Amino acid sequence: MKALRYILIALSALLLLAAIIAPRLLGPKVEEVLQQQLASQPNIELTGYQRGWFSAEALALLKGKDGATETFTEIKHGPVLFTSRGPRIGVLYAKTRLTGNELEPALRRQLEAYYGSLDDLGPGLQNSPILVETLVGANNRVTNTLRLLPIDRNEGDQQIRFKGASIRLVTDFQGRQQDSSFKLGEFVRMDGHREALYLQSGRGEFKLDPSGAGTLQLTLPLVRANNDSGPLELRDVTFAYTGELVADRTLHVQTELKLPEIQSSTPASSLTQQINLPAIGYDDLHHYLYSLLLTPSAQRRWPQVFDRPLKMQQQLDIATANGPMQLQLDVDWKGMPKKRPAQNDKLFWLDYLNGSANLSGAEQAMLQSPLIMQASALKQYGFLKEQNGQLNMHLQLDRGNLQVNGQLLPADLFLLAMTSGF
């Protein structure tokens, strides 16, 4: 018995010694993994790193289009790691949050729109609305989980409730992505006693390289909105993204949005939209995402939005109570010219646009659709051709030369018809 007791004491002492020594041995490995991860992310700069025996701290800058965002990371060395989901075995566990000292303006606007003034979240953003947890395992596996904190905020007669969200990104030590997913918690916005927006909890999967190549799928079971145009309800919404690297810093992007069940004040009952960008550079793609998604509509300037070139094909299919409608677009936009003509030439931008459009649909669907506000006028002037109960229009634009259904037409006259200005 004494021998067994001595063996157990010796084993306990060895385990204790290993637990004390291991973090110091793992520290350099932690730095190596950290440097490998950052090397694959050119927009991240490590500005400070301080290593202790059991832990470390790091400061980093995430560089965006209009500035940088500073983050602070607390790192715990393995092999035994106490995470927010319980004890784990691994190399390190880290928590990264915003510091608030440096924050890209667009990101600040988006956060304050939902979380309120960031100054109310404590000094140094102790209650950072964005938190990233990182677990580096001993099996060439790095799991990053980005969490958006829940929201329960009242401001005036507006209330926002959000149950939070998480994005789980899994890579190897070299940054190559493995299986990844995200979850969106229930979101409710109330304007007074009216439900303005409701999103039921959704989820998705993705596998994206740092280059943007890969796939993404999102599913939202239920979306409700209510505004001056009336109530809107969407069920089983799906969005899919596919990106393929076709040249240096250039992607072939395809997206598909499906709204299979629509209930609204309009006759529309379902919608499918497909967009194809055959070759778009990183800077151009970032520009359009930033201009159209991150810039508030009140601050959006269309000449600035379309400053960069864009090649795009789009197909929009809408089913309505009055029949189907379809819109096809093929756009080759050269970008806003650097030396722009005098502002009195309002249509000068047409000189830099090539493309075509095909519009077709059941006559009653077209005449009652909010998509074509001046359908009756276009039919009256002969721009919408009628055939077997269908209305069709084909547009072809070649650097300012416009053809409508094969006939040359001054662009300003066509725009007058579109706006019922004849």
Side-chain angles (χ1 to χ4, degrees), residues 208 211-215 241-247 249-254 277-280 282:
L208 295 170
S211 65
T215 60
Y241 163 93
T242 301
E244 178 187 0
L245 196 65
V246 293
R249 297 177 58 82
T250 303
L251 287 169
H252 175 199
V253 174
Q254 294 175 295
L277 307 175
I280 185 167
Y282 286 1

Side-chain angles (χ1 to χ4, degrees), residues 31 36 41-42 52 63 66 76 122 132 146 162-163 165 171 194 255 265 290 298 310 323 325 361 369:
E31 292 183 359
Q36 287 174 339
Q41 304 293 335
K63 300 176 182 178
D66 290 337
K76 305 298 182 184
V132 179
L146 183 149
F162 176 47
K163 292 188 177 179
T171 71
R194 184 182 71 174
T255 67
S265 57
Y290 179 89
L310 179 68
M325 291 173 40
S369 171

Side-chain angles (χ1 to χ4, degrees), residues 84-325:
S84 61
R85 297 296 184 267
R88 296 287 189 273
I89 300 298
V91 178
L92 71 82
Y93 171 69
K95 285 186 175 182
T96 301
R97 62 176 178 83
L98 305 178
T99 67
N101 295 331
E102 199 167 350
L103 198 60
E104 189 177 7
L107 178 58
R108 177 180 290 275
R109 285 195 301 268
Q110 293 295 315
L111 292 176
E112 290 188 337
Y114 294 102
Y115 289 91
S117 174
L118 299 185
D119 296 332
D120 298 334
L121 298 179
L125 282 188
Q126 292 175 353
N127 299 316
S128 173
I130 298 177
L131 179 69
V132 179
E133 295 180 73
T134 302
L135 177 64
V136 179
N139 56 348
N140 193 29
R141 187 177 174 91
V142 180
T143 303
N144 291 286
T145 305
L146 183 149
R147 303 188 188 281
L148 294 177
L149 298 189
I151 303 172
D152 191 351
R153 185 167 67 93
N154 296 333
E155 186 172 324
D157 64 347
Q158 187 180 85
Q159 304 173 35
I160 294 178
R161 295 194 304 275
F162 176 47
K163 292 188 177 179
S166 64
I167 302 175
R168 184 174 179 266
L169 175 64
V170 182
T171 71
D172 60 18
F173 287 176
Q174 284 70 45
R176 292 186 293 265
Q177 191 184 149
Q178 302 173 9
D179 54 311
S180 301
S181 61
F182 56 91
K183 297 179 180 179
L184 303 175
E186 183 183 67
F187 178 92
V188 182
R189 195 190 84 199
M190 302 289 295
D191 291 343
H193 297 290
R194 184 182 71 174
E195 180 186 79
L197 180 62
Y198 173 81
L199 302 177
Q200 189 175 327
S201 300
R203 62 178 60 245
E205 298 81 33
F206 64 98
K207 188 173 183 180
L208 295 170
D209 293 334
S211 65
T215 60
L216 178 148
Q217 295 86 34
L218 166 67
T219 301
L220 291 173
L222 176 61
V223 178
R224 288 197 303 262
N226 202 338
N227 53 37
D228 295 337
S229 300
L232 171 68
E233 184 174 295
L234 310 174
R235 291 188 177 274
D236 299 323
V237 177
T238 61
F239 174 79
Y241 163 93
T242 301
E244 178 187 0
L245 196 65
V246 293
D248 183 38
R249 297 177 58 82
T250 303
L251 287 169
H252 175 199
V253 174
Q254 294 175 295
T255 67
E256 183 176 52
L257 173 67
K258 290 185 177 181
L259 310 178
E261 186 176 338
I262 301 174
Q263 295 182 18
S264 69
S265 57
T266 71
S269 58
S270 68
L271 179 150
T272 300
Q273 182 189 48
Q274 297 174 316
I275 294 177
N276 178 52
L277 307 175
I280 185 167
Y282 286 1
D283 292 339
D284 295 337
L285 180 60
H286 183 271
H287 167 80
Y288 280 103
L289 291 175
Y290 179 89
S291 301
L292 296 175
L293 298 182
L294 294 180
T295 302
S297 56
Q299 302 175 17
R300 194 175 296 149
R301 295 175 55 244
W302 291 110
Q304 184 179 19
V305 170
F306 290 106
D307 184 63
R308 286 183 172 270
L310 179 68
K311 289 186 178 181
M312 179 186 73
Q313 292 91 42
Q314 174 187 264
Q315 179 165 320
L316 178 66
D317 293 280
I318 304 175
T320 78
N322 300 311
M325 291 173 40

